[in-house]
Amino acid sequence: MVREITEQSGKGEVLIVEDTPASLKLLSDLLTEAGYYVRQAPNGELALWTVQSRPPELILLDIRMPGIDGFEVCKRLKAAPELSQIPVIFLSAQHDTDDKVRGFALGAVDFIAKPFQAEEILARTDAHVRLARTQKALAAERAMLEQRVSERTAELAALAASLEKEVEQRRANEEFMRLSSQVFEATQDAIVVTDRYGRIVACNPAFTRISGYASDEVTGQGAALLHAGEADMQTFQIMVQAIVKTGHWSGEIMARRKSGDTFPGLLSLSVVRDAQGEVSNHVAVFMDISERKAEQHLIDFLSHHDALTGLPNRLLARQQFEQKLVAAKREHRCVAVMCLDLDHFKSINDSYGHDVGDKALQVVASFLGECVGADNIVTRQGGDEFQIIVADERQLVHTMALAQRILAGLRQELIIDQHAITVTSSIGIAVSLSDGDSFDELVRNADTALFRAKEVGRDNYAFFTERMDAEVRDKLAIQSQLRGAIARDEFEVYYQPQMCLQTGAIVGAEALLRWDNPVLGRVPPNRFIPLAEEYGLVNAIGEWVLASVCAQIKLWHDQGLGAIKVAVNLAASQFVNDATVPYVENTLRDFKVAPQYLGLEITESTVMGDPDKAVAALRRLKAIGVSISLDDFGTGYSSLSYLKRFPIDVLKIDKSFVDDITTNPADAAIALSVVTLAHNLNMRVIAEGVETREQMEFLRQHGCDEMQGYYFSRPVDAAAFSGLLRERRCLQDLS
């Protein structure tokens, strides 16, 4: 019944293996609407059971799953002969080169990065399902054709042998000859009968149609006139040896038509012997397989080339790299691998559509091919990623000049479908000997250099260095440990007291995240928080911090330690996330914490990225009832026209102005201006980073409302902060 549903769907059966329910539903709905019969598996174990019970035509396989991950699932599938031909497309939220290298090594046919693009999912699914079906159909058809040739050859051999009984079984022989004649005339395969010396004595109409020779033109001629000559001499010699030794041969040959054109054919040749066992005839059956060879050639091309641009893919690039490396070592040269990305290419697809984006990639591919010349190799790895393999002298003059030409050439305006499009690119370069001696190592290092080229402003190129590698490995180590930090309970919230400058009492605290990892040790926030933002982990961490703080506020209130307001830093991605406001509301409600006891701190750069959107977002947060602080005020380029529109409760004077506030008139003037501006806008002012009594006295005398800093207290854990609240004492004598 399920197979009938699959066949009615028309487009085939796809198994989606994804542990994230939202992603699983998104992919299932998308492919079902596109006409596919979709099966689902939320983990690797169920995926293996599902595939063994009934193999699908394509598997979309998530890499990161609990239990058996995507790599192990793929490995087990490829180890099973009956399942190894099922194409696998990996799904990943990462753009990790090592993951891609490992996936392709295990036998994956493609990668699709999250977040998913519907057009990309459908296009790649359609392409790989069609390719799988074509390969399966060709294999079945070839087997069927070989069986049919073998069967027909055996049949004709039997018919020829039966001629020996003509005298004794005349009537049976006449019927046999009639039937043989019908088969001979009607079959679509060419049949040629020769005498013992190889001279043609008979041929059927299919032979004339395929070869162009009429029957009377070849009768009495040697069968060698159909041979392609030197182009297929080795096959011809093998065939002759097999006929002499076994009396039978079958395989592919190159034949020649009357026009002189050669074509591939599938031939089965058998010896016919008389009653005395002597060779009397040879029977050959063959068919023209030109179209099938063309289809196979296309399949072979697509398996080694990018379908959109026609450039070599990663598999072929690896082979060509190995050839260049061997030649380079022999000539005492080096091989450079250049990884190239188009800067902000997604905006072209978003602005003009994927058709224009595809045409832009084709134009770029053509330009790169012309720019690098015939001696170098351009490949496309997918998306807007290209690789260039260059053989160069040790001085790398050619490679640097080529990178500069590419950057300059891609800055030129492209006209595509009447759209004027400007693209720039970033290039990372790794060189054999100094940066590695294998394709995978050089690609990985070139990707690292590419990342650096983007960091310094894009439209640039960078060579790989050991320092880059160390930085990347450090980031990868942090990323690897960061992913499970919440589950392993490695985070802890510290609290830095905020003091009232009139009474010296603790009136609040700023929540500060600390991470103590058993592998990396104590990791400073300035190292792991930017990476959490880069890798998309900051929202989950921010939600954990907010829940932890609300739980602590509730505990302090229940213990009667006072109405303390705690400020929590809000990352930029949280600030623009539509789910943040509902999460804050739900968390406050779940822990039974009144909104006035929670403050949210947002940096100046966050709100000034898009001030109009920031105003709307701040108003949504303000409507909850929490207070809002603007952190790092004065370090960016705030517009006062926007500041007056922001529903801000507190301005925080950045530590960079407080450090020299008593010795640098400029810092003092800025700090006092912030105090005056805030009070005129009915905002409170908190100075952070106060470390000396002189700084505290200066700010108190000039109207600053609150302070925090090492002069009063370092950030402490919740237990130590509870002790400060129990003492109910001032941390600093303000008299």
Side-chain angles (χ1 to χ4, degrees):
M1 179 63 181
V2 175
R3 180 57 61 188
E4 292 175 358
I5 293 174
T6 303
E7 292 173 353
Q8 292 171 4
S9 70
K11 298 193 74 173
E13 181 173 340
V14 177
L15 172 63
I16 302 174
V17 186
E18 170 62 67
D19 65 328
T20 304
S23 298
L24 184 60
K25 184 177 187 304
L26 171 66
L27 292 170
S28 297
D29 292 347
L30 177 64
L31 294 178
T32 299
E33 290 176 5
Y36 287 95
Y37 178 73
V38 176
R39 289 192 290 161
Q40 302 178 350
N43 56 59
E45 292 85 350
L46 185 56
L48 291 171
W49 181 88
T50 301
V51 173
Q52 291 170 353
S53 65
R54 188 179 70 255
E57 293 184 78
L58 178 67
I59 299 175
L60 301 182
L61 178 58
D62 188 20
I63 292 179
R64 310 296 180 194
M65 296 184 295
I68 300 177
D69 65 9
F71 289 134
E72 182 61 23
V73 171
C74 184
K75 179 180 178 181
R76 295 188 186 183
L77 289 176
K78 297 306 178 182
E82 68 277 13
L83 305 175
S84 62
Q85 299 304 313
I86 302 174
V88 175
I89 299 178
F90 273 129
L91 308 174
S92 176
Q94 305 301 313
H95 298 270
D96 193 312
T97 301
D98 288 341
D99 279 356
K100 292 183 179 180
V101 170
R102 184 180 177 188
F104 283 121
L106 288 174
V109 299
D110 208 343
F111 266 81
I112 300 178
K114 301 178 183 178
F116 301 122
Q117 297 293 327
E119 296 86 352
E120 181 184 20
I121 291 289
L122 293 177
R124 296 194 182 190
T125 299
D126 288 345
H128 287 293
V129 168
R130 287 197 302 270
L131 183 60
R133 284 186 170 182
T134 300
Q135 291 174 325
K136 185 176 180 181
L138 286 174
E141 185 177 8
R142 181 186 182 95
M144 181 184 68
L145 289 174
E146 290 179 348
Q147 181 179 359
R148 188 174 67 185
V149 168
S150 179
E151 290 173 351
R152 289 182 178 175
T153 301
E155 180 183 358
L156 290 170
L159 289 173
S162 68
L163 292 174
E164 297 177 358
K165 301 178 181 180
E166 181 177 0
V167 176
E168 301 173 354
Q169 301 177 354
R170 184 177 184 83
R171 291 181 62 185
N173 190 56
E174 288 177 353
E175 178 63 21
F176 176 80
M177 290 300 296
R178 184 186 64 79
L179 181 60
S180 178
S181 177
Q182 289 179 345
V183 173
F184 191 75
E185 295 293 326
T187 183
Q188 297 299 304
D189 299 331
I191 301 175
V192 176
V193 182
T194 74
D195 61 17
R196 70 180 63 190
Y197 303 109
R199 293 187 294 259
I200 297 174
V201 297
C203 60
N204 68 346
F207 170 82
T208 299
R209 174 175 52 80
I210 293 174
S211 70
Y213 287 105
S215 176
D216 57 359
E217 290 180 295
V218 296
T219 300
Q221 298 289 324
L225 69 89
L226 303 172
H227 185 245
E230 290 295 331
D232 203 31
M233 183 57 69
Q234 184 177 3
T235 302
F236 181 75
Q237 292 171 348
I238 293 173
M239 177 180 66
V240 171
Q241 293 172 2
I243 289 295
V244 172
K245 185 176 181 179
T246 67
H248 179 76
W249 183 86
S250 63
E252 291 187 13
I253 62 166
M254 290 298 296
R256 188 182 303 279
R257 305 185 201 276
K258 181 180 179 181
S259 63
D261 297 335
T262 58
F263 66 97
L266 189 62
L267 171 68
S268 179
L269 180 62
S270 296
V271 169
V272 180
R273 299 183 183 275
D274 58 22
Q276 289 73 39
E278 298 294 329
V279 176
S280 61
N281 299 94
H282 299 90
V283 178
V285 180
F286 72 96
M287 63 187 68
D288 183 353
I289 58 172
S290 301
E291 292 184 2
R292 290 166 180 76
K293 294 292 285 186
E295 292 174 354
Q296 185 61 49
H297 177 75
L298 177 60
I299 292 173
D300 292 342
F301 180 84
L302 291 177
S303 66
H304 291 85
H305 292 79
D306 171 53
L308 178 65
T309 63
L311 294 175
N313 62 12
R314 188 177 188 85
L315 180 62
L316 183 56
R318 183 189 301 275
Q319 298 172 1
Q320 294 177 331
F321 168 83
E322 297 295 342
Q323 295 170 1
K324 272 202 172 296
L325 185 62
V326 170
K329 288 181 176 179
R330 185 172 57 249
E331 299 168 4
H332 303 290
R333 296 157 65 92
C334 61
V335 176
V337 173
M338 306 169 68
C339 288
L340 179 149
D341 271 5
L342 300 180
D343 298 331
H344 306 298
F345 185 75
K346 183 177 182 296
S347 63
I348 296 178
N349 285 330
D350 294 342
S351 301
Y352 305 106
H354 286 276
D355 287 343
V356 172
D358 287 347
K359 291 179 181 178
L361 290 173
Q362 290 171 336
V363 171
V364 169
S366 178
F367 162 76
L368 291 176
E370 295 175 358
C371 188
V372 306
D375 293 335
N376 303 313
I377 301 166
V378 181
T379 72
R380 180 177 179 234
Q381 304 306 302
D384 60 334
E385 302 175 16
F386 295 86
Q387 286 177 1
I388 303 167
I389 302 172
V390 183
D392 199 356
E393 300 293 344
R394 298 296 175 86
Q395 290 79 12
L396 297 175
V397 175
H398 175 60
T399 299
M400 288 187 288
L402 177 58
Q404 292 166 356
R405 287 201 306 274
I406 291 173
L407 293 175
L410 288 178
R411 294 188 194 109
Q412 304 301 315
E413 190 173 69
L414 306 179
I415 305 299
I416 299 176
D417 290 349
Q418 299 181 344
H419 298 292
I421 298 175
T422 301
V423 297
T424 59
S425 61
S426 299
I427 301 173
I429 306 170
V431 184
S432 63
L433 301 181
S434 62
D435 301 332
D437 211 17
S438 72
F439 182 71
D440 292 336
E441 189 175 7
L442 288 176
V443 168
R444 182 174 63 250
N445 291 339
D447 271 336
T448 300
L450 172 62
F451 181 76
R452 177 53 55 87
K454 291 181 177 180
E455 278 189 332
V456 298
R458 302 177 186 268
D459 192 17
N460 200 355
Y461 70 90
F463 280 87
F464 173 79
T465 65
E466 291 185 3
R467 180 179 177 182
M468 285 184 198
D469 185 54
E471 291 176 356
V472 169
R473 290 182 185 276
D474 181 61
K475 288 183 178 180
L476 290 176
I478 294 176
Q479 176 197 7
S480 175
Q481 295 298 317
L482 194 58
R483 290 194 175 280
I486 294 178
R488 296 190 299 269
D489 196 25
E490 295 174 358
F491 287 127
E492 184 177 5
V493 178
Y494 274 47
Y495 299 87
Q496 185 169 39
Q498 294 176 334
M499 312 300 301
C500 174
L501 284 180
Q502 298 302 317
T503 65
I506 302 175
V507 293
E510 180 180 359
L512 300 168
L513 184 61
R514 296 293 183 263
W515 180 27
D516 196 356
N517 178 263
V519 176
L520 304 175
R522 178 61 66 91
V523 185
N526 61 353
R527 284 182 62 200
F528 74 83
I529 290 179
L531 291 179
E533 293 179 344
E534 180 181 342
Y535 297 132
L537 303 174
V538 73
N539 286 349
I541 294 174
E543 291 176 355
W544 180 89
V545 171
L546 184 63
S548 299
V549 168
C550 287
Q552 188 62 55
I553 293 174
K554 180 65 165 58
L555 180 61
W556 285 332
H557 288 185
D558 291 346
Q559 294 173 344
L561 296 180
I564 296 298
K565 176 180 289 188
V566 180
V568 176
N569 291 283
L570 205 60
S573 59
Q574 290 179 279
F575 180 63
V576 299
N577 192 331
D578 292 336
T580 297
V581 171
Y583 183 79
V584 172
E585 290 179 311
N586 294 336
T587 304
L588 290 170
R589 182 172 58 253
D590 291 345
F591 289 99
K592 297 181 176 56
V593 173
Q596 61 265 30
Y597 297 120
L598 177 66
L600 298 177
E601 288 195 4
I602 303 164
T603 63
E604 180 184 35
S605 59
T606 296
V607 296
M608 292 310 299
D610 190 335
D612 292 328
K613 288 185 179 180
V615 170
L618 288 170
R619 287 175 178 169
R620 289 196 299 270
L621 291 171
K622 188 66 177 174
I624 299 174
V626 300
S627 66
I628 299 175
S629 303
L630 189 61
D631 199 4
D632 299 338
F633 183 72
T635 60
Y637 301 93
S638 295
S639 169
L640 297 183
S641 63
Y642 281 107
L643 183 60
K644 69 180 182 180
R645 295 171 54 195
F646 293 153
I648 301 295
D649 300 293
V650 179
L651 286 184
K652 296 191 74 173
I653 302 176
D654 188 73
K655 182 180 184 299
S656 62
F657 300 123
V658 174
D659 286 342
D660 298 320
I661 198 170
T662 59
T663 59
N664 188 322
D667 286 345
I670 292 174
L672 297 182
S673 297
V674 173
V675 172
T676 302
L677 175 64
H679 289 165
N680 288 338
L681 294 175
N682 295 318
M683 302 176 187
R684 291 183 297 111
V685 181
I686 298 179
E688 61 183 8
V690 177
E691 298 182 352
T692 67
R693 182 177 183 85
E694 290 76 17
Q695 293 170 344
M696 182 269 293
E697 288 291 350
F698 181 92
L699 289 164
R700 181 164 70 102
Q701 293 172 6
H702 290 86
C704 185
D705 301 301
E706 299 172 19
M707 295 186 189
Q708 66 184 78
Y710 286 3
Y711 181 66
F712 306 104
S713 172
R714 291 176 176 270
V716 296
D717 61 23
F721 194 85
S722 299
L724 295 177
L725 294 177
R726 286 191 180 91
E727 293 176 9
R728 296 184 180 277
R729 65 178 178 82
C730 300
L731 290 185
Q732 180 61 38
D733 182 6
L734 300 180
S735 60

